[in-house]
Amino acid sequence: GFLVDPKGKVPVKVVARTFASGKTEKLVYQCLSDLGLPSGKNDVIEPVDFTFDKFYELYHKICPRNDIEELFQQITQGKAETINVDQFINFLNEKQRDPRLNEILYPLYDEKRALEIITTYEQSEEAKNEKKLTKDGLIRYLMSDENAPVFLDRLEFYMDMDQPLAHYYINSSHNTYLSGRQFGGKSSVEMYRQVLLAGCRCVELDCWDGKGEDEEPIITHGKAMCTDILFKDVIYALRDTAFVTSDYPIILSFENHCCKTQQHKLAKYCDEILGDLLLKEALPDYPLEPGAPLPPPSALKRKIMIKNKRLKPEVEKQELELFRQGQFVIEDEEKEDATAVPDPNKKLEELAQQEAAAVPEADAAPVPIQYTGSTTNVHPWLSSMVNYAQPIKFQGFDVAENKNIHHNMSSFAETTGLGYLKSQAIEFVNYNKRQMSRIYPKGTRADSSNYMPQVFWNAGCQMVSLNFQTSDLPMQLNQGKFEYNGNCGYLLKPDFMRRSDRSFDPFAESPVDGVIAAQCAVQVIAGQFLSDKKVGTYVEVDMYGLPTDTIRKEFRTRMVPSNGLNPVYNEEPFLFRKVVLPDLAVLRFGVYDENGKLLGQRILPLDGLQAGYRHISLRTEANFPMSLPMLFCNVELKIYVPDGFEDFMAALSDPRAFLSAQEKRAQQMKAMGIEETDINTKDLAGGGGGEGGGGKKGSKSEKSGAKAAATPS
């Protein structure tokens, strides 16, 4: 809608400003006058007179869609003023339909379907009666929801929600309470409300002893000079907003630094405030036993789970019994001080070394502050509330496989996670089929920047936690991905990342068994309402997926100068020649002005992308929908077919084929923007340097995949 004045009327100058980035005010006033609307500079328009149809007419008067005129001429072969029904059916089947689709599930367009579209979008009764479509009817169809760039059912619930929790990606937030920087930042209860409403299902609570007389536990980033908020206020906020956007379960990731007395309060508030929403014990059908799978999201609807260290069963049972009888005595404890400031004279490396030695769990990032992991001295009542998310110190993939305890999970700083990926990728994927892993940003990201989540999704990590307060590219990829499946915060991983009888190497360059590689071509034709300023604009199209499918900063349109309103790019199609794993790939459209400022963006998963001429409405940097800005593109999708023996010849001359698996993975990570310095292979459990059992298979598949890799994307 337009901005209105205090009396609720639309000022003419506001309308003029909407088109100012490409057209003169004089032209706008003239077009308003032609439509019989008030057109003086200081006039106002009654909202009832300024209907959508009037705006639509005005828009086409001021900005004739010459880009669609060309398409119209192609369809009619330049021989008629209208498209007849046969031409339209041909256009729908040849251009607007993905040829990879099953014809039984997705039938070809026929006359009945084509006539339904003509009846819905054609305004001319005469054309309707003659079963024809005018240029205006074609434009209305091309701009309709029916012609959206993704199958609309993908935005609804469409996934199987009855698989074990470990089989899903879970929308996750890091240090949820911070609204800005990691150091000296501001903590806010409101952040919990906002991230939950945005679809997040795993939030983090760093709990510390409160210092007031009432000794109320607080949430803050300890020893980092951040402000604090009350734990109980956060629990109230969680109760109120947990299940507004989604009914699927929430995981509260506690980083617990409280003494037992204040931990008693943590448990009390969770119990009293959350009530029946809190999952206090395991479900009868999903016991906490070795080999027992995790429950599915469907069995945990409207449930909140706590992730906190748990006491050994016999200790918990004994202490809980004493606690319930009022005989549990808390000894004098050494309290941790959240406000202690690190010694600035200590070198960052020293602190990181100290930390590596001292942290009892892989749950703490190498941060430039003195830091201790969560307490192992847990209050029995709080301990008894922990069930399907029990964090333990990671001892290696082989140890985890032997123990086979699905409700045990570990957290990895991004650097450690990359180290395991580089050295034991296949084992990491297999671990994630059974139990959950959480990745979090390295501690040196003081500015709350984010790491690229894709490489961890490729390995099947469920909780790839990001700083939601930072609207950067990683966060856009996260929100774009989780828009699917009703924005419920859970996405089912592809079948080969769930099944124990399948082996998947996230660095594979040859097609995965049973998955058909795709080819995707994107032609950026034009933009609409990209900026309210008369600036030059250009569009970048990138793809993120497996390393071999990731193509960044390669495709950009020419700059169209001084027209933010309706630039026409008419580029040659950008060809993503071979997409090995379409299930994990997404396209990113970024629109920039001549100074490189982002004007709008959109993330579209390849799975569910519609072929043909589509209008792609853009989002802000923070992924909020924008009403007018959009791109007009033509997307072609087909099955990838290798050309003759070219790829075989390329493989013979490809030096990368002779690199060791590890060097090669480091190179592939570099192509995704990950530097060697970001990868930590030193402190890995279970022989970080070696390939591990499954890794040998990986290197073999890499050799056989070399020829596929050599085909230019």
Side-chain angles (χ1 to χ4, degrees), residues 146-259:
E146 189 168 344
N147 193 52
V150 293
F151 286 106
L152 292 178
D153 62 354
R154 294 304 165 95
L155 301 175
E156 307 299 323
F157 293 104
Y158 74 99
M159 290 179 161
D160 171 6
M161 300 304 279
D162 297 325
Q163 302 284 326
L165 272 180
H167 290 185
Y168 296 84
Y169 297 116
I170 303 172
N171 197 353
S172 303
S173 144
H174 169 252
N175 284 1
T176 313
Y177 47 88
L178 289 177
S179 58
R181 294 175 54 79
Q182 298 292 307
F183 299 102
K186 182 173 179 288
S187 303
S188 157
V189 176
E190 185 56 29
M191 288 302 294
Y192 286 91
R193 291 193 188 94
Q194 294 304 324
V195 303
L196 290 168
L197 293 172
C200 180
R201 298 287 88 187
C202 174
V203 294
E204 188 169 11
L205 297 86
D206 289 5
C207 311
W208 294 79
D209 290 334
K211 286 204 168 155
E213 285 174 32
D214 50 1
E215 296 208 324
E216 281 294 327
I218 56 169
I219 286 181
T220 186
H221 196 187
K223 305 182 183 179
M225 298 167 288
C226 293
T227 63
D228 53 67
I229 50 182
L230 289 178
F231 175 84
K232 71 173 172 198
D233 289 350
V234 169
I235 299 300
Y236 278 119
L238 288 168
R239 180 196 68 187
D240 296 342
T241 48
F243 302 110
V244 175
T245 297
S246 165
D247 273 345
Y248 288 103
I250 281 181
I251 296 167
L252 306 183
S253 181
F254 280 20
E255 192 180 283
N256 181 359
H257 300 271
C258 293
C259 66

Side-chain angles (χ1 to χ4, degrees), residues 60-109:
H60 287 291
K61 227 172 169 34
I62 297 172
C63 308
R65 290 297 301 269
N66 298 332
D67 48 339
I68 296 181
E69 174 67 41
E70 278 184 42
L71 175 61
F72 185 79
Q73 295 301 333
Q74 272 176 36
I75 300 170
T76 61
Q77 295 164 340
K79 292 177 185 164
E81 292 299 303
T82 52
I83 298 170
N84 67 40
V85 73
D86 291 336
Q87 288 170 331
F88 191 46
I89 294 168
N90 195 36
F91 165 70
L92 291 172
N93 285 324
E94 294 290 312
K95 299 290 184 189
Q96 300 299 97
R97 190 180 175 283
D98 182 345
R100 301 171 306 159
L101 293 176
N102 176 310
E103 288 185 19
I104 295 167
L105 295 176
Y106 298 89
L108 290 163
Y109 288 88

Side-chain angles (χ1 to χ4, degrees), residues 642-663:
D643 304 338
F645 290 98
E646 290 165 7
D647 52 353
F648 180 66
M649 294 304 291
L652 292 176
S653 59
D654 179 14
R656 288 188 308 167
F658 301 99
L659 291 176
S660 78
Q662 284 210 33
E663 281 178 281

Side-chain angles (χ1 to χ4, degrees), residues 352-371:
Q353 281 165 8
Q354 268 183 18
E355 192 203 340
V359 172
E361 184 195 338
D363 219 336
V367 295
I369 50 174
Q370 283 158 306
Y371 178 82

Side-chain angles (χ1 to χ4, degrees), residues 182-183 348 365-368 414-415 441-449 678:
Q182 298 292 307
F183 299 102
L348 202 137
V367 295
E414 57 175 290
T415 44
K442 59 187 177 188
T444 47
R445 292 185 183 274
D447 57 353
S448 295
S449 61
D678 287 340

